[in-house]
Amino acid sequence: MRPVVLRTERLVLDLPVEHDTELVAHYCGDPLFLKYLTTPWPYTVEHARAFLTEYVPAAWASGDELTWAIRRHEGDSLLGVICFRRGNEIGFWLGAEHRGDALMAEALSAVCEWAFSGTVPDVESVLWRANEGNRASAHVARAAGFRRITPRIATVPDRRGHPLPAWHAEHRAEVEPDAFASWEPILGSAT
Ligand SMILES: CC(C)(COP(=O)(O)OP(=O)(O)OC[C@H]1O[C@@H](n2cnc3c(N)ncnc32)[C@H](O)[C@@H]1OP(=O)(O)O)[C@@H](O)C(=O)NCCC(=O)NCCS
């Protein structure tokens, strides 16, 4: 698939490129990535370069994983990334300095809307999974209209592929009426 540019009120989502190497390496050294993501650890500039110059373009071409850079404007520095994988699962992170402004919920809503636009065939729902306890990520999923689900096996693989307890949610084309309330057991009822 050819890379697609998405726009929101405050953001542009476009292709992450080699120019983003230093920032990606810097952001991915955040201890939260060790706890909640499967990115290499310790994360080096070489990891970032290989991700941007090899992995991202190949995964767009095959359609296996569509990764967008999150920027304020086209050509601006990268704030974070969001990806949509084969199997309709979403993944995302923001550099620590860019959190706290609800940017990811905005990016996530745009990617879901795009996923349901018909460009990718047969998307009935978009899936979100996070390690149990990743409340910031759960807040983002709730804000973007996901509904929490409890599959029989609720896990997510860790760096070595071993299963960890996880929270799951899905987003259908139409936000379901009970979506917000479904988060209450883990996030409470306040926004
Ligand atoms: C998940 C992440 C992208 C959210 O960043 P963000 O878009 O800036 O989100 P915000 O900081 O605006 O916070 C989102 C919500 O979570 C809440 N929140 C933030 N950190 C929190 C925490 N540690 N515990 C509980 N709630 C938290 C905020 O109050 C906010 O609530 P609201 O949306 O109801 O107002 C960011 O924390 C991140 O990159 N984390 C590391 C990578 C990661 O975990 N990715 C997801 C893997 S599934």
Side-chain angles (χ1 to χ4, degrees), residues 37 92 94 99-102 104 129 134-137 139 191:
L37 298 181
F92 50 74
L94 272 180
R99 295 178 197 152
D101 204 12
M104 192 53 81
R129 277 192 298 174
N134 191 347
R135 291 172 57 86
S137 183
H139 272 269
T191 54

Side-chain angles (χ1 to χ4, degrees), residues 22-107:
E22 295 291 335
L23 271 177
V24 168
H26 164 64
Y27 295 144
C28 293
D30 176 344
L32 263 193
F33 284 48
L34 175 60
K35 190 171 176 190
Y36 289 138
L37 298 181
T38 54
T39 42
W41 191 270
Y43 198 93
T44 65
V45 170
E46 285 65 41
H47 288 127
R49 184 165 295 112
F51 171 67
L52 294 164
T53 62
E54 296 166 28
Y55 184 81
V56 168
W60 265 102
S62 66
D64 284 342
E65 185 164 328
L66 316 178
T67 303
W68 287 268
I70 301 173
R71 310 181 198 276
R72 291 276 183 187
H73 304 281
E74 229 150 328
D76 270 9
S77 52
L78 180 145
L79 311 178
V81 308
I82 183 162
C83 69
F84 180 76
R85 304 188 187 102
R86 201 179 286 287
N88 304 335
E89 187 171 353
I90 205 87
F92 50 74
W93 55 258
L94 272 180
E97 350 3 18
H98 307 295
R99 295 178 197 152
D101 204 12
L103 293 178
M104 192 53 81
E106 191 170 321

Side-chain angles (χ1 to χ4, degrees), residues 94-175:
L94 272 180
E97 350 3 18
H98 307 295
R99 295 178 197 152
D101 204 12
L103 293 178
M104 192 53 81
E106 191 170 321
L108 180 55
S109 297
V111 171
C112 289
E113 194 178 315
W114 174 82
F116 292 122
S117 69
T119 318
V120 185
D122 303 326
V123 182
E124 268 184 35
S125 59
V126 177
L127 307 173
W128 166 93
R129 277 192 298 174
N131 295 24
E132 236 176 60
N134 191 347
R135 291 172 57 86
S137 183
H139 272 269
V140 170
R142 182 175 73 171
F146 281 69
R147 183 172 63 86
R148 192 166 163 248
I149 53 174
T150 43
R152 198 170 55 79
I153 302 173
T155 60
V156 69
D158 72 7
R159 266 185 187 73
R160 290 164 303 160
H162 299 160
L164 289 174
W167 290 332
H168 292 230
E170 68 174 10
H171 191 316
R172 295 189 167 264
E174 299 296 327
V175 173

